Amino acid sequence: MMFSLKGKTALVTGASGGIGSAIAYALARQGARLALSGSNAQKLRIFREQLNEEIGGDHVEITCDLSDTVQVEELIPAAIDTLGGLDILVNNAGITRDNLAMRMKDEEWDQVIRVNLEAAFRLMRAAARPMMKAKGGRIISITSVVGATGNPGQMNYSAAKAGLTGMSKSLAAELASRKITVNCVAPGFIRTAMTGQLTDDQKAAINSRIPMGRMGEGDEIGAAVAYLASDEAAYVTGQTLHVNGGMAMMS
């Protein structure tokens, strides 16, 4: 089987969300054993039970509030302790606090940077050491098309996502000789519970900006992550895989 992750262990943050759960399913289907992390313990438990039932495997959950530095620092050790090692880290969790620049409050900036960028840095730093010891690993961060294009009302979010890209390139250069790859997947508009709240007119306006004429599916992001996590992607590092239906064509 191509892209097999049999015998691999993975930590996915924001695992009970729309894109996070799709990534978890994709990795589990390829045979990985997962530690699912999120801030909502109940949602996480329900999702883990569902995953174990549908895909099989002995997946675990670890509740973590990424805005709490102490909890963030404990997450990688907890995942390694539970899984017995860590081959794959997927930084997927993210929040939005949208506002126009003139109205953006300091805390709206701080919250988004802390969860979307700083927590990812701490997790990458913590995962690097055990991966270096194991002489291999995969670090994958979920960025966004707006990290490359910008978006009105999302200065904080765009900055955090662009920051993730720069961080990943730097870490990729540092860890390449140790057989650890560091990459990003940048989704465009993906159909989730969040986009489900848009009106038909809003959806039509978005779809008109996408050459494929539709939003992406969570599974299409999951597939990109599964590829980057696999042995087949061993020579791919410091890259961003854009999955956006042609909405922004990046070279």
Side-chain angles (χ1 to χ4, degrees), residues 96-99 104-105 107-110 112-113 116 153-161:
T96 53
R97 296 288 182 268
D98 296 353
N99 220 336
M104 189 172 283
K105 297 177 183 73
E107 56 267 28
E108 289 170 335
W109 171 268
D110 291 343
V112 168
I113 298 298
N116 297 15
Q154 290 198 309
M155 249 179 105
N156 48 5
Y157 187 78
S158 301
K161 294 302 190 182

Short mmCIF file of all heavy atoms in Angstrom, two decimals, residues 96-99 104-105 107-110 112-113 116 153-161:
data_model
loop_
_atom_site.label_atom_id
_atom_site.label_comp_id
_atom_site.label_asym_id
_atom_site.label_seq_id
_atom_site.Cartn_x
_atom_site.Cartn_y
_atom_site.Cartn_z
N THR A 96 -9.93 31.90 15.13
CA THR A 96 -10.02 33.20 14.45
C THR A 96 -10.62 34.22 15.41
O THR A 96 -11.47 33.88 16.24
CB THR A 96 -10.91 33.13 13.19
OG1 THR A 96 -12.18 32.58 13.56
CG2 THR A 96 -10.29 32.28 12.11
N ARG A 97 -10.15 35.45 15.29
CA ARG A 97 -10.73 36.59 16.01
C ARG A 97 -10.72 37.74 15.01
O ARG A 97 -9.90 38.64 15.08
CB ARG A 97 -9.90 36.95 17.25
CG ARG A 97 -9.83 35.89 18.34
CD ARG A 97 -11.14 35.74 19.11
NE ARG A 97 -11.02 34.75 20.17
CZ ARG A 97 -11.31 33.45 20.03
NH1 ARG A 97 -11.71 32.99 18.86
NH2 ARG A 97 -11.20 32.62 21.05
N ASP A 98 -11.62 37.65 14.02
CA ASP A 98 -11.58 38.57 12.89
C ASP A 98 -12.03 39.99 13.26
O ASP A 98 -12.98 40.17 14.04
CB ASP A 98 -12.48 38.07 11.74
CG ASP A 98 -11.99 36.74 11.18
OD1 ASP A 98 -10.90 36.28 11.58
OD2 ASP A 98 -12.71 36.15 10.34
N ASN A 99 -11.33 40.94 12.70
CA ASN A 99 -11.69 42.35 12.87
C ASN A 99 -10.84 43.18 11.90
O ASN A 99 -9.73 42.77 11.55
CB ASN A 99 -11.41 42.82 14.31
CG ASN A 99 -12.50 43.74 14.82
OD1 ASN A 99 -13.20 44.39 14.03
ND2 ASN A 99 -12.65 43.81 16.13
N MET A 104 -9.15 46.21 15.59
CA MET A 104 -8.63 45.00 16.23
C MET A 104 -8.05 45.32 17.60
O MET A 104 -7.19 46.17 17.74
CB MET A 104 -7.57 44.34 15.34
CG MET A 104 -7.16 42.97 15.87
SD MET A 104 -6.08 42.09 14.72
CE MET A 104 -7.26 41.54 13.49
N LYS A 105 -8.56 44.59 18.59
CA LYS A 105 -8.09 44.79 19.97
C LYS A 105 -6.81 44.00 20.18
O LYS A 105 -6.59 42.97 19.54
CB LYS A 105 -9.16 44.32 20.96
CG LYS A 105 -10.47 45.10 20.87
CD LYS A 105 -11.49 44.53 21.84
CE LYS A 105 -12.83 45.24 21.71
NZ LYS A 105 -13.53 44.87 20.44
N GLU A 107 -6.05 42.04 22.52
CA GLU A 107 -6.28 40.64 22.91
C GLU A 107 -6.69 39.77 21.71
O GLU A 107 -6.41 38.57 21.69
CB GLU A 107 -7.26 40.49 24.07
CG GLU A 107 -8.63 41.12 23.88
CD GLU A 107 -8.71 42.55 24.43
OE1 GLU A 107 -7.67 43.25 24.47
OE2 GLU A 107 -9.82 42.95 24.82
N GLU A 108 -7.34 40.37 20.71
CA GLU A 108 -7.70 39.61 19.51
C GLU A 108 -6.43 39.22 18.74
O GLU A 108 -6.34 38.12 18.17
CB GLU A 108 -8.64 40.42 18.61
CG GLU A 108 -10.04 40.56 19.20
CD GLU A 108 -10.93 41.55 18.45
OE1 GLU A 108 -10.41 42.48 17.79
OE2 GLU A 108 -12.16 41.40 18.53
N TRP A 109 -5.48 40.11 18.72
CA TRP A 109 -4.17 39.82 18.11
C TRP A 109 -3.45 38.75 18.93
O TRP A 109 -3.01 37.73 18.41
CB TRP A 109 -3.34 41.10 18.03
CG TRP A 109 -1.91 40.85 17.62
CD1 TRP A 109 -0.85 40.64 18.45
CD2 TRP A 109 -1.41 40.74 16.28
NE1 TRP A 109 0.30 40.42 17.71
CE2 TRP A 109 -0.01 40.48 16.38
CE3 TRP A 109 -1.98 40.85 15.01
CZ2 TRP A 109 0.81 40.31 15.26
CZ3 TRP A 109 -1.14 40.69 13.89
CH2 TRP A 109 0.22 40.43 14.02
N ASP A 110 -3.35 39.00 20.25
CA ASP A 110 -2.59 38.12 21.14
C ASP A 110 -3.12 36.69 21.14
O ASP A 110 -2.34 35.73 21.07
CB ASP A 110 -2.61 38.65 22.59
CG ASP A 110 -1.81 39.94 22.73
OD1 ASP A 110 -0.99 40.24 21.84
OD2 ASP A 110 -2.01 40.65 23.74
N VAL A 112 -4.88 34.99 18.88
CA VAL A 112 -4.64 34.27 17.62
C VAL A 112 -3.17 33.90 17.47
O VAL A 112 -2.83 32.78 17.10
CB VAL A 112 -5.16 35.09 16.41
CG1 VAL A 112 -4.66 34.51 15.09
CG2 VAL A 112 -6.68 35.12 16.43
N ILE A 113 -2.28 34.83 17.80
CA ILE A 113 -0.84 34.54 17.71
C ILE A 113 -0.46 33.46 18.72
O ILE A 113 0.30 32.54 18.40
CB ILE A 113 0.01 35.82 17.92
CG1 ILE A 113 -0.28 36.86 16.82
CG2 ILE A 113 1.50 35.49 17.99
CD1 ILE A 113 0.06 36.42 15.40
N ASN A 116 -2.32 30.00 17.39
CA ASN A 116 -2.01 29.56 16.01
C ASN A 116 -0.52 29.51 15.70
O ASN A 116 -0.10 28.76 14.85
CB ASN A 116 -2.68 30.48 14.99
CG ASN A 116 -4.20 30.45 15.07
OD1 ASN A 116 -4.78 29.96 16.05
ND2 ASN A 116 -4.87 30.97 14.06
N GLY A 153 -9.71 41.94 7.30
CA GLY A 153 -10.32 41.53 8.57
C GLY A 153 -9.58 40.40 9.25
O GLY A 153 -9.99 39.93 10.31
N GLN A 154 -8.48 39.95 8.65
CA GLN A 154 -7.75 38.82 9.23
C GLN A 154 -6.25 39.07 9.34
O GLN A 154 -5.43 38.19 9.09
CB GLN A 154 -8.00 37.55 8.41
CG GLN A 154 -9.42 37.01 8.53
CD GLN A 154 -9.51 35.56 8.07
OE1 GLN A 154 -9.07 35.21 6.99
NE2 GLN A 154 -10.09 34.71 8.91
N MET A 155 -5.88 40.30 9.74
CA MET A 155 -4.46 40.59 9.90
C MET A 155 -3.77 39.61 10.86
O MET A 155 -2.69 39.11 10.57
CB MET A 155 -4.29 42.01 10.45
CG MET A 155 -3.70 42.99 9.47
SD MET A 155 -3.59 44.60 10.24
CE MET A 155 -1.84 44.69 10.54
N ASN A 156 -4.43 39.34 11.98
CA ASN A 156 -3.86 38.45 13.00
C ASN A 156 -3.73 37.02 12.46
O ASN A 156 -2.68 36.39 12.57
CB ASN A 156 -4.69 38.49 14.29
CG ASN A 156 -6.19 38.34 14.06
OD1 ASN A 156 -6.66 38.12 12.93
ND2 ASN A 156 -6.97 38.49 15.12
N TYR A 157 -4.80 36.51 11.86
CA TYR A 157 -4.83 35.14 11.35
C TYR A 157 -3.85 34.97 10.18
O TYR A 157 -3.09 34.00 10.13
CB TYR A 157 -6.26 34.81 10.91
CG TYR A 157 -6.50 33.39 10.51
CD1 TYR A 157 -6.65 32.39 11.47
CD2 TYR A 157 -6.62 33.01 9.16
CE1 TYR A 157 -6.90 31.07 11.11
CE2 TYR A 157 -6.87 31.70 8.80
CZ TYR A 157 -7.00 30.73 9.77
OH TYR A 157 -7.25 29.43 9.42
N SER A 158 -3.84 35.93 9.26
CA SER A 158 -2.92 35.87 8.11
C SER A 158 -1.47 35.91 8.57
O SER A 158 -0.62 35.18 8.04
CB SER A 158 -3.18 37.02 7.14
OG SER A 158 -4.51 36.98 6.66
N ALA A 159 -1.19 36.75 9.57
CA ALA A 159 0.17 36.85 10.11
C ALA A 159 0.61 35.54 10.74
O ALA A 159 1.73 35.07 10.54
CB ALA A 159 0.25 37.98 11.13
N ALA A 160 -0.31 34.92 11.51
CA ALA A 160 0.01 33.65 12.17
C ALA A 160 0.27 32.55 11.15
O ALA A 160 1.22 31.78 11.28
CB ALA A 160 -1.12 33.24 13.11
N LYS A 161 -0.55 32.49 10.11
CA LYS A 161 -0.40 31.44 9.10
C LYS A 161 0.86 31.66 8.25
O LYS A 161 1.57 30.70 7.93
CB LYS A 161 -1.65 31.38 8.21
CG LYS A 161 -2.92 30.93 8.95
CD LYS A 161 -2.76 29.57 9.59
CE LYS A 161 -4.05 29.00 10.13
NZ LYS A 161 -3.86 27.69 10.79
#
